[in-house]
Amino acid sequence: MDVIYPRCAGLDVHTETIVACALWEEEGEIQKEIQTFSTFSTFSKGLGDLLDWLEDHGVTHVAMESTGVYWKPVFAFLEGYVDLTLANPQRIKNVPGRKTDVSDAEWIAKLLRHGLIEKSFVPPAPIRELRDFTRLRKKWVGQLSSEKNRIQKVLESSNVKLGSVLSDLFGVSGRNILARLLEKGYVDKDELDECLRGRLKTKKQAVYDSLLGTLTEHELYLLRLLWKHVEELERLIEEVDQHIDRLLEPYREEVDLLMTMPGIKKQTAAVIIAEMGTDMSVFETPERAASWTGLSLGNHESAGKRKSTRTTKGNPHLRSALCEAAWSAARSKTHPLSRKFWSLAARCGKKKALIATARRMLVIIFCMISRKEPFRQPQLI
């Protein structure tokens, strides 16, 4: 096989140590040097020693596996000094047999030497920072929903049936009632007029009847703790939203373009930019972007028979955001994307139609960002 990178190295990264294997050619023979054990620790001093060792051997290209989060500090430290390749562990597995850290590092170096490792997408530092905050926001929103469900569960166990009367227990009226309830343990009928808003005033008697439960001191204390956590999470999510807005300032044009598409709001646009970036050339084609996201059908055929067509594994954060956007777009019965969704749902079911619609939206997003054009309603779909 042809040699693509004459001086390269493979790294096997662990929690506390790194095993490095350098390959180069000298007088027609392949030279190899391996540093193992704890020669290069993952501390900053050890990473500095690793960089010095790579420079002493004239290494220009380095490859490593994306193992957990252990590769991140190594990648960040070496970035800018050598050409880095982050490999998908599933695609560079060695043949079964005896396995050691040394053999892993050497195998990675050999594959890199002949250009057999495909680079994984690693966005630039500003996009990585934005990605950290969008993922943190998603985690906190999930925790907030869990805490609200716990409050609902405690109220139901106390026979306080507010959830049966209010469509949103945590709307303006619901929050007013919960504040009075947690303060005194009960709500007088005369106080409900101050708590209720809009059309709920006509349901005053039903709301009052739903409050005639029995809240013990234990349950009240539990509800107060949960409510404090809900308020704190809401405050933190608002703070994260403000920081995300600041990080999105350089990408304001892309955000505005994405928001012209039905089903995509500001938070969804932030997730799309944080996960994909704004340079679509790294994916080359919309089909590769869909495969990277995990929205492409699997390909499993043997003896002329097609077997499972499950979607491929991909980026779960971008995939879930696009599926949410697809559900939102499907609610408009007159939109072409919606018509396509319901047409597929009638034949294949809603779940398969959802994936197909999300993939279609990703292809459109790819073209919108590449061409810097807003969304246009297609005449035929």
Side-chain angles (χ1 to χ4, degrees), residues 145-328:
S145 298
S146 298
E147 293 300 88
K148 288 181 177 180
N149 288 337
R150 288 191 183 96
I151 290 177
Q152 179 77 12
K153 182 179 178 180
V154 174
L155 290 175
E156 287 290 337
S157 64
S158 306
N159 204 33
V160 176
K161 299 288 188 178
L162 266 178
S164 301
V165 183
L166 304 183
S167 58
D168 183 8
L169 182 59
F170 297 92
V172 177
S173 299
R175 286 173 178 268
N176 291 338
I177 295 171
L178 281 174
R180 296 290 180 92
L181 190 64
L182 297 180
E183 181 182 352
K184 299 190 300 183
Y186 62 91
V187 180
D188 291 329
K189 193 171 185 178
D190 297 336
E191 295 176 333
L192 279 180
D193 287 328
E194 302 176 13
C195 298
L196 299 179
R197 296 290 185 274
R199 289 180 295 177
L200 275 177
K201 289 183 178 291
T202 61
K203 297 182 179 180
K204 178 180 176 181
Q205 185 60 46
V207 174
Y208 180 72
D209 292 341
S210 70
L211 291 169
L212 298 178
T214 306
L215 281 170
T216 64
E217 285 298 323
H218 159 72
E219 290 164 336
L220 273 175
Y221 183 63
L222 182 59
L223 285 171
R224 286 166 184 156
L225 290 177
L226 292 172
W227 184 246
K228 285 181 181 178
H229 195 199
V230 166
E231 291 181 324
E232 180 64 16
L233 284 172
E234 289 176 339
R235 185 189 65 80
L236 289 172
I237 291 172
E238 183 178 356
E239 186 176 335
V240 167
D241 283 338
Q242 293 173 359
H243 190 71
I244 289 175
D245 288 341
R246 290 193 292 270
L247 293 176
L248 282 175
E249 281 301 323
Y251 313 105
R252 185 59 53 190
E253 180 184 1
E254 287 79 8
V255 172
D256 293 339
L257 289 175
L258 289 172
M259 291 178 64
T260 61
M261 191 172 187
I264 295 182
K265 56 183 180 179
K266 191 174 184 179
Q267 288 81 5
T268 309
V271 173
I272 293 171
I273 293 174
E275 298 299 332
M276 294 184 67
T278 56
D279 181 12
M280 296 295 105
S281 63
V282 296
F283 300 106
E284 298 181 1
T285 64
E287 290 75 20
R288 294 191 65 177
S291 177
W292 177 81
T293 307
L295 291 173
S296 293
L297 292 179
N299 187 9
H300 186 189
E301 183 176 329
S302 180
K305 295 181 180 179
R306 292 196 67 184
K307 299 185 180 181
S308 174
T309 56
R310 288 185 177 182
T311 53
T312 55
K313 289 185 178 180
N315 187 311
H317 307 281
L318 180 58
R319 174 173 166 146
S320 63
L322 289 172
C323 286
E324 289 177 9
W327 273 123
S328 180

Side-chain angles (χ1 to χ4, degrees), residues 262 334-337 339 360 364 375-381:
T334 59
H335 194 273
L337 284 172
R339 291 201 298 270
R360 183 176 291 254
I364 296 173
F375 178 79
R376 296 195 303 267
Q377 290 262 15
Q379 298 300 321
L380 295 173
I381 192 167

Side-chain angles (χ1 to χ4, degrees), residues 315-373:
N315 187 311
H317 307 281
L318 180 58
R319 174 173 166 146
S320 63
L322 289 172
C323 286
E324 289 177 9
W327 273 123
S328 180
R331 295 180 63 183
S332 172
K333 296 294 179 87
T334 59
H335 194 273
L337 284 172
S338 176
R339 291 201 298 270
K340 187 64 178 178
F341 171 86
W342 291 109
S343 173
L344 289 171
R347 293 183 283 115
C348 309
K350 290 183 179 179
K351 290 185 178 180
K352 290 185 177 181
L354 179 69
I355 294 296
T357 306
R359 186 186 187 282
R360 183 176 291 254
M361 292 180 72
L362 178 62
V363 172
I364 296 173
I365 288 169
F366 183 96
C367 297
M368 287 168 56
I369 297 179
S370 300
R371 303 170 186 171
K372 303 295 183 184
E373 295 179 0

